[in-house]
Structure formats: C-alpha cells, structure tokens
Amino acid sequence: MASLSSIQHMKARALTVMSTRSQDQQLVSDIAARQGVQDLNTLKSPQSSSENRVVPCFGWHPWFSHQLYDDTVPKPTYDGTESGKTAHYDAILAPSPSSKDPSFIAGLPSPRPLSEFLNETRSRLKKHPLALVGEIGIDRAFRLPGSWTADDEAQRDEGLTPGGREGRKLSPYRVQLSHQAAILQAQLRLAGEMGRAVSVHGVQAHGALHEAIAQCWKGHERPVNSRRQQKRVAEGAEDFSSSSSSSSEDEAEEEEGRKEKVAKSKKPYPPRICLHSFSGPVEALRQYVHPAVPAQVFFSFSVPVNWGTGGGDKAEEAVRAAPDDRILVESDLHEAGEPMDRSLEQVCRKICEVKGWGLREGVERLARNWREFAFGRGR
C-alpha cells in the first residue's frame, strides 16, 4: 500500500493488480476507482503522466482457500458453530490440526461461505467493467503460516496489507487439493458467467490444475477434424451464396442468431486464462494450446519466479514452445514503482532474446498479447 503513489510515475503503461484474500478486495476496488483504466483508448495514449493505469482483479488465492467453505454442497464442512470450525479445518487441512495442535485452529478465522464471496465478487466485477478475476489457482507446496506470536506482532510491517504471512514460520498444515480445486472452479465459473479473463496460480500441481480447469469446459471442446476429414469437407463444400430467402425469414434468422449469441456468451469457463509465472514443463503447456481447448490460454513469465530460482533453462524451453501470441510478462512483485518497472524490463528483454525478437517488435507484440488477454481486443 505504501507504494501506490508511485504507480502514476512508472514507465509501465498499465498494471493488472491482483487481490488474493478478504483484506485486499476492497483495497483493490478503491485503487481502481482512483487510478483505474476507464477507457481502452487511454491505453493507446503515449502520455506517461496519466493516472489511469490500474486494471483491478478480484479473486481468492489458494493460499487462503482454507478460509472459505463450500456452502453450495449438500453437506458443508462448517455449520457456524465453534465445533464446526474445528470440523471444517480438520476436514480440509492435512494433517488434521486438532489431533496435532488444537491451539492452531483457535488462531484461524471462522470460515466464510463461498457463495457470499462469489456474490461480492460479482458485484465488484459489475462495478468495474474492465476488471478480471484473479489471482486464483492450486498450490501443492504451500503450507499455512504458524500462529501469531508476541514477537511476530511486535515486528509487523505497517506498510503491508494485513492477512499475509508477514515473516511468520510455516506450519506443517497444507490445504487439500480437492478443496483448493472446488474454490478455483467456482471462480472459473463466475468468470465464465461474467465473460472475464482470469489469472491462475499453479505450483507443483500442473496435472491437478489442468484437470480442474478442463472439467469446467468439459462438453464445450472445439471439434477437431483429422486431416482426412478436413480434405473431405473441402472436396464436398458447396457455395450457397446465391440462395435466396424472404425478408421475414432473414429477420427471423437474425433474431435467432442474436438469442443464440447471448445464450452462448455465458459459459462455465473463462474466455481467456493466464497461467501466471508459468513453471510447468513443455508437455503441460501443449495441453493448453490443443486445438480442442475452447478458451484462449496465455502463459506469463517473471524474472523473480522463472529465472530467479534456478529454473531459467526450463522457463526458456516454455517460452520457445509457447505460441507468439500467447506470451505475457509480469513483475510478480508486491511493490510498485522502480522495482516493478525494472522487473518488467528484465523479463521483456529475456523473452525477446529467447524468441529472437527485436526489442521494439517484441514489446509491441507483448502489449498486443496483454490487451487480447485482458480485454479480448489485442489490436
């Protein structure tokens, strides 16, 4: 929060700013109200002093998924009682905290109903027509922070948004993947309902993440003809351009087409998906760009995650394998200003080098990709 005033002085023309938990949903909305991109035409303006730079994103990160319970199922894990709170955390955390450390659950918040969060997010998406859904996802490696101690409280950084780890040691408890997937899929369906793009987090769970996302578009896959079928279609094609119909029939067809378009606009999956700071193997990447996949899937890369943890070779393999029009860049930092600009410049240079693009050509291409991902309007 302490770096917000530096956004208007950044070299970056626009930032997609992610929310992750209860404490930052309204903060992101407030930032967007003051510094949000209101009109896509403003993004084409070269004026670096413009304050309209933020595209808000509303979502519940898997690191905080334990704080929600799915009240849409017949038997929710939480019933609103103190014993129900224990039952919820025992059901969705591994190992069960009550058998290992009963006091750990006492330091956790009472879980919120998933439907309540979805309704709040739907309202925020309506308030901000250009907003995205994010950051959401699955994380197999994440462990919950330990309970607050007196020393932790004394060392808290007031410049940080509350609710994060804030230097606490990690506990042995992890959120079960089935619970993370349920929270993820609910948000994917909301994004599909609202026609918004999503930013997805995935760590050490590439198979589980793909399965969870693919379940949402199951039954909506695009037909993929074999080469033999494509040849048959081409040979048997007929030209119906000279066929005639009455004016009333044309109008009826147009109205039917309009209704069909409206009906098809709401899908149980998002139209565009970004796998952010993508760390998966090339085989996982190829699953998402298969011709049958009905959503546009993008892959973003950041220096701190993709090159800063010794995974540069793996990241470069993924960059080379990703289609040119599906690559995005990000800082993956929580501090705006010069550090974020520097991180963005570094990753732009990395990708241009790997792809063999000239720097100007590459940056322009990456800008088009971002506009296509965020708004479905790359040009």
Side-chain angles (χ1 to χ4, degrees):
M1 292 298 293
S3 66
L4 288 179
S5 61
S6 64
I7 291 178
Q8 61 182 299
H9 305 296
M10 289 179 63
K11 296 178 182 178
R13 187 62 190 85
L15 303 171
T16 34
V17 179
M18 304 287 155
S19 57
T20 59
R21 56 191 185 272
S22 64
Q23 291 90 342
D24 62 11
Q25 305 292 327
Q26 189 57 44
L27 292 178
V28 171
S29 181
D30 292 344
I31 295 165
R34 296 194 304 270
Q35 302 188 48
V37 174
Q38 305 297 326
D39 184 342
L40 297 186
N41 290 327
T42 63
L43 294 177
K44 300 177 182 178
S45 169
Q47 296 177 358
S48 59
S49 61
S50 172
E51 295 184 2
N52 303 115
R53 293 168 180 259
V54 171
V55 175
C57 311
F58 302 104
W60 202 276
H61 196 283
W63 291 357
F64 308 97
S65 57
H66 59 287
Q67 298 174 1
L68 296 176
Y69 73 94
D70 189 354
D71 58 330
T72 67
V73 297
K75 294 183 179 180
T77 54
Y78 179 56
D79 62 3
T81 66
E82 195 62 29
S83 61
K85 175 183 173 181
T86 299
H88 166 77
Y89 286 117
D90 274 346
I92 59 100
L93 297 181
S96 298
S98 65
S99 62
K100 300 288 183 180
D101 182 8
S103 64
F104 180 78
I105 294 180
L108 297 175
S110 296
R112 293 182 58 195
L114 174 60
S115 63
E116 179 182 84
F117 168 69
L118 293 176
N119 286 334
E120 290 178 358
T121 304
R122 185 180 289 106
S123 296
R124 290 192 173 102
L125 292 173
K126 290 179 179 178
K127 180 179 179 180
H128 302 281
L130 299 181
L132 282 59
V133 172
E135 181 177 335
I136 62 179
I138 294 179
D139 192 320
R140 190 189 298 271
F142 173 73
R143 289 179 290 150
L144 271 66
S147 301
W148 284 100
T149 66
D151 288 342
D152 292 332
E153 292 282 3
Q155 297 175 20
R156 293 187 74 166
D157 183 349
E158 296 299 325
L160 295 176
T161 304
R165 178 183 173 186
E166 297 188 52
R168 288 177 289 166
K169 293 181 180 179
L170 296 178
S171 75
Y173 306 112
R174 303 176 191 268
V175 183
Q176 294 192 26
L177 293 189
S178 57
H179 182 73
Q180 293 187 46
I183 302 302
L184 165 64
Q185 290 175 323
Q187 295 179 87
L188 291 172
R189 290 191 291 269
L190 175 61
E193 171 195 330
M194 303 294 290
R196 307 300 177 90
V198 302
S199 177
V200 175
H201 170 107
V203 173
Q204 296 182 18
H206 302 295
L209 180 63
H210 179 267
E211 181 180 356
I213 296 174
Q215 283 179 359
C216 291
W217 66 50
K218 187 175 182 180
H220 296 266
E221 294 88 348
R222 291 173 176 166
V224 179
N225 292 335
S226 66
R227 290 184 178 179
R228 178 177 296 181
Q229 289 172 321
Q230 291 173 359
K231 184 177 180 181
R232 286 177 179 173
V233 171
E235 290 175 347
E238 297 183 54
D239 182 6
F240 293 99
S241 60
S242 61
S243 61
S244 60
S245 61
S246 67
S247 176
S248 59
E249 289 176 341
D250 288 342
E251 292 175 358
E253 288 179 2
E254 288 178 5
E255 177 63 16
E256 190 64 29
R258 187 190 65 78
K259 291 180 179 178
E260 184 177 355
K261 185 176 181 181
V262 171
K264 288 183 176 180
S265 64
K266 293 186 178 181
K267 301 286 180 61
Y269 60 90
R272 298 174 302 283
I273 299 168
C274 169
L275 302 178
H276 99 91
S277 288
F278 180 73
S279 60
V282 169
E283 292 74 18
L285 184 150
R286 288 174 178 153
Q287 285 184 298
Y288 289 103
V289 295
H290 190 279
V293 172
Q296 284 181 285
V297 181
F298 296 77
F299 309 88
S300 69
F301 299 90
S302 66
V303 168
V305 173
N306 297 112
W307 278 271
T309 56
D313 290 344
K314 184 179 180 181
E316 290 179 11
E317 288 179 5
V319 170
R320 280 191 287 269
D324 291 355
D325 61 352
R326 299 293 184 89
I327 296 179
L328 302 172
V329 295
E330 61 174 302
S331 68
D332 209 358
L333 297 179
H334 67 282
E335 183 181 0
E338 198 276 334
M340 190 174 286
D341 269 336
R342 184 171 62 249
S343 183
L344 288 169
E345 179 179 342
Q346 289 173 341
V347 73
C348 284
R349 290 184 181 276
K350 287 276 190 184
I351 288 177
C352 288
E353 180 183 348
V354 173
K355 281 291 194 181
W357 297 338
L359 190 58
R360 185 180 185 87
E361 169 205 356
V363 171
E364 289 176 346
R365 185 190 295 267
L366 291 168
R368 289 195 301 271
N369 291 355
W370 177 78
R371 289 193 296 269
E372 178 63 29
F373 159 68
F375 313 116
R377 303 177 189 179
R379 300 290 174 179

